[in-house]
Structure formats: C-alpha cells, structure tokens
Amino acid sequence: SCPYLTLSIGHKMPLIGLGTWKSAPGLVKQAVLCALDCGYRHFDCAAAYGNEREVGEALLERVGTGKQIKREEVFVTSKLWNTKHHPEDVESSCRKTLAELSLQYLDLYLIHWPMAFERGEVLMPRNDDGTMRHGDTHYRDTWKVMEGLLDQGLVKAIGLSNFNAKQIDDILSICKYKPVVNQVECHPYLIQKELLKYCHDHGIALTAYSPLGSPDRPWTSPGEPQLLDDPQILAIAGRYGKTPAQVILRWQVQRGVVCIPKSTTPSRIQQNIQVFDFTLSNDDMKQIECFNRNERLIIPTIEVSIKSVWLPLHTPNFKT
Ligand code: A2P
C-alpha cells in the first residue's frame, strides 16, 4: 500500500492521491476505478470540479461495507467553493458533496480559496465587465463553521487551500481546531520553500496540486515549454530509469509533500504511484530545488475563469 503521512490529528493521509480537477465527466469514473485497482487510497475532489457525482459512482462500486475496500482504508478530500463561505451555506455544501460522493463522512474538507464570491448557485458570479462578484464573508467566520462540521462528525479533518502564511496565522489565532493541511500549487518551478517550512513548523501538512505543472491547463500556449519536458528533469529521470513525472513526484514525497497528480490515462495513473521503489540522492534533491522560478501556473483570476471567454486562453506564463 502507498506510504502515508500522519496528520496532526493522527489520521493517515497517503502521500500520493488521484487528482480529479479537469478530469472530464465520462472519464473520471474509470480513472477512479483504475486508481483503486492500482493501489490508490487517496482521492482529491472538490464541488467546483463538477464531477463529484461520477467520482462517487466509482467509490460506491468498490468502497464500503461488503465491498472490496473498507471505507476506512480510503482517504477522500473535498473542498468548499467560494460561493459557499457564508456560515449558513457551509453545512449544506458539505452535505451535498457527501451525497454526490456517496459518503457518510469526508476524511478532509478544505476551504478551497481564502476569498468569498457572491452567494448563490452560480459558480463564477461576475459583473458585466467580467470581474468577479465578491462576497463579504471573512474566511475566519467560515472556519468557525468548518469546525462545527468536525463536531458533527461530517468530516474527520479540516484544512485550507491556497492560503498564504499570513492567512494561516489568522486562522491559527482564532481557531478551536487547527487546520491539518494546506493545499497549494507546488512543483519544481514553484517549490514553496518558505510556505512548506511555515506549514511543517506549525504541524500542517502541505499538499501539492498541479504537481506535474498541469500540462492540460486550459490557458497554456501552443509551444510553451512544459515542466514534464524540462531537459534537466529528463536527464535526472534518465539516470534513474524513471519517467519525469516519477522523478518530480518522488522529489516531493521525499521532502514530505503530499501529491495529487491528475490523470485519466490508465498507464499514467499506474506510473504516478510507483515512486516508492527508488530514492533520489541529496544532490539531485538539491538540484531540483534550483529549478525554482517562483512561477505560478494557476492564479485565482485564471483558475476561476476557465469556462469563460473574457480571459484569453493564450495567456503567457504569469510570474509571482
Ligand atoms: P492525462 O490526464 O491525459 O493522462 P497535474 O496533476 O499537474 O494537473 O497534471 C495533469 C496533467 O498531466 C494531465 O494533462 C495528465 O494527462 C498529465 N499527466 C499525468 N500523469 C502523467 C505522466 N505520468 N506523464 C505525462 N503526463 C502525465
């Protein structure tokens, strides 16, 4: 089984999970089934991905009483969307996600982004000029209600996503239950060294999204160099007889970072969890750190506008 990290509350989180962002309905059920067969026991989901019902169909087939896999062997994460930060919306959003995923409880529930959007059923509420319509709920008030979900037993753990150190500090100063995870973009071009240290110093695990540089992000330009094609990573991979994806994932788990690579391709799903049969040398670990460019591929205004036309799809890389 996949090695895991023990969260501050004692719950075990497998170091590799299957990402489901951008996994098309029609493909994601097969991907989850394939991943379960390959030994994955960790799935990263979110209401905003629009595919939780289909992920749930796969879980229902294999996981639970009388099925191949016990519920407690699987770690399922989901996230509260930005339009649901208002204290009155949190519990119903969590219950909706649970129903769609066919689960009685979540292993981890995250606040997807620190900022709130206008309440309602529109995923991306916008003004006429294309800018987002923001809500006025502060994430501190959302956190208080997230804590209630724990007390109710709807979730085993709560955490954050896309929070910076200052925002985490803010939560730590008011919380009854500490966040156990912060999930952020992280890969060799954005190594998040300071944030990782901050999180680990505070007993918070860091989960890397887009660990492979999200080559399928909708706004990548044709011909734009991709992390997985980086010649230096290819060279290291060659020396270990591994693929670039395996080297990148190995580097992360070896520095204590949990990864949720997305794939709907069976051979890649299988390959991405086979990173526990080799060790990168200290020199190679350090060399990969040097690839850092502080280059953020997913920035909120882009991430939240995937389905819209106001943002040109051929956006050049953004620097932080
Ligand atoms: P696909 O889903 O078609 O297999 P990230 O997790 O960083 O968002 O990256 C996801 C993207 O990387 C998807 O386009 C996925 O393609 C691709 N991908 C996933 N695993 C691998 C791999 N082992 N080798 C090459 N590409 C991969």
Side-chain angles (χ1 to χ4, degrees):
S1 71
C2 180
Y4 53 79
L5 200 112
T6 304
L7 299 175
S8 54
I9 46 165
H11 208 52
K12 290 171 182 155
M13 185 181 196
L15 283 162
I16 297 285
L18 183 75
T20 60
W21 176 46
K22 307 183 259 72
S23 294
L27 292 179
V28 71
K29 181 179 175 188
Q30 285 312 315
V32 172
L33 290 173
C34 171
L36 285 166
D37 294 343
C38 292
Y40 283 73
R41 293 294 180 266
H42 172 183
F43 297 89
D44 185 78
C45 314
Y49 301 163
N51 57 13
E52 288 193 319
R53 187 170 294 280
E54 209 178 309
V55 173
E57 284 173 21
L59 295 176
L60 197 60
E61 246 175 61
R62 298 282 160 86
V63 180
T65 319
K67 313 268 171 67
Q68 281 158 271
I69 302 164
K70 292 198 192 92
R71 170 65 185 91
E72 55 272 26
E73 291 170 22
V74 176
F75 189 104
V76 183
T77 302
S78 186
K79 314 185 191 83
L80 178 78
W81 185 238
N82 307 356
T83 50
K84 304 293 176 183
H85 280 206
H86 190 280
E88 284 167 22
D89 297 333
V90 176
E91 184 183 330
S92 56
S93 303
C94 180
R95 288 190 185 275
K96 183 170 181 216
T97 276
L98 285 171
E100 298 211 331
L101 290 171
S102 301
L103 297 176
Q104 304 296 315
Y105 66 88
L106 290 171
D107 295 277
L108 180 62
Y109 200 41
L110 309 176
I111 300 183
H112 205 149
W113 292 89
M115 71 282 196
F117 291 168
E118 183 182 73
R119 293 175 73 186
E121 296 317 305
V122 181
L123 207 60
M124 314 285 180
R126 288 171 192 286
N127 297 305
D128 290 343
D129 65 358
T131 55
M132 300 310 305
R133 296 175 73 89
H134 287 278
D136 49 15
T137 306
H138 195 280
Y139 51 75
R140 282 189 301 256
D141 299 322
T142 308
W143 186 257
K144 285 285 153 206
V145 191
M146 296 282 285
E147 291 178 330
L149 302 178
L150 254 176
D151 288 331
Q152 287 171 267
L154 294 179
V155 304
K156 298 272 182 213
I158 50 176
L160 307 169
S161 182
N162 297 297
F163 276 58
N164 64 31
K166 190 176 162 297
Q167 293 162 332
I168 300 172
D169 263 338
D170 219 5
I171 296 284
L172 291 177
S173 70
I174 56 108
C175 68
K176 175 164 88 161
Y177 303 123
K178 278 173 47 169
V180 298
V181 163
N182 186 28
Q183 184 183 121
V184 295
E185 179 182 341
C186 185
H187 44 70
Y189 293 164
L190 181 69
I191 66 171
Q192 302 278 22
K193 193 169 182 165
E194 292 78 20
L195 185 62
L196 178 61
K197 181 170 189 316
Y198 172 93
C199 286
H200 284 181
D201 285 350
H202 289 82
I204 299 168
L206 192 133
T207 299
Y209 74 68
S210 301
L212 305 177
S214 282
D216 57 346
R217 63 192 186 281
W219 51 86
T220 177
S221 322
E224 187 185 335
Q226 298 285 350
L227 174 64
L228 285 174
D229 300 328
D230 187 307
Q232 289 179 284
I233 297 195
L234 280 164
I236 298 174
R239 279 195 278 111
Y240 287 88
K242 298 288 169 183
T243 67
Q246 287 172 320
V247 163
I248 292 169
L249 296 169
R250 176 69 209 183
W251 166 73
Q252 291 281 30
V253 299
Q254 212 169 304
R255 68 204 276 259
V257 172
V258 178
C259 289
I260 45 167
K262 171 266 173 182
S263 179
T264 48
T265 312
S267 59
R268 290 171 170 173
I269 292 171
Q270 187 171 33
Q271 167 191 137
N272 292 345
I273 201 168
Q274 288 170 349
V275 298
F276 300 103
D277 58 353
F278 72 112
T279 304
L280 294 168
S281 71
N282 282 340
D283 284 351
D284 288 327
M285 288 295 290
K286 285 199 195 110
Q287 200 201 338
I288 296 173
E289 279 210 359
C290 296
F291 301 162
N292 186 39
R293 307 171 178 176
N294 285 334
E295 184 173 78
R296 199 175 299 276
L297 303 169
I298 316 297
I299 64 167
T301 49
I302 291 182
E303 212 250 358
V304 297
S305 61
I306 291 162
K307 294 218 171 66
S308 79
V309 290
W310 65 270
L311 190 100
L313 287 184
H314 301 304
T315 306
N317 269 327
F318 279 76
K319 305 274 177 188
T320 46

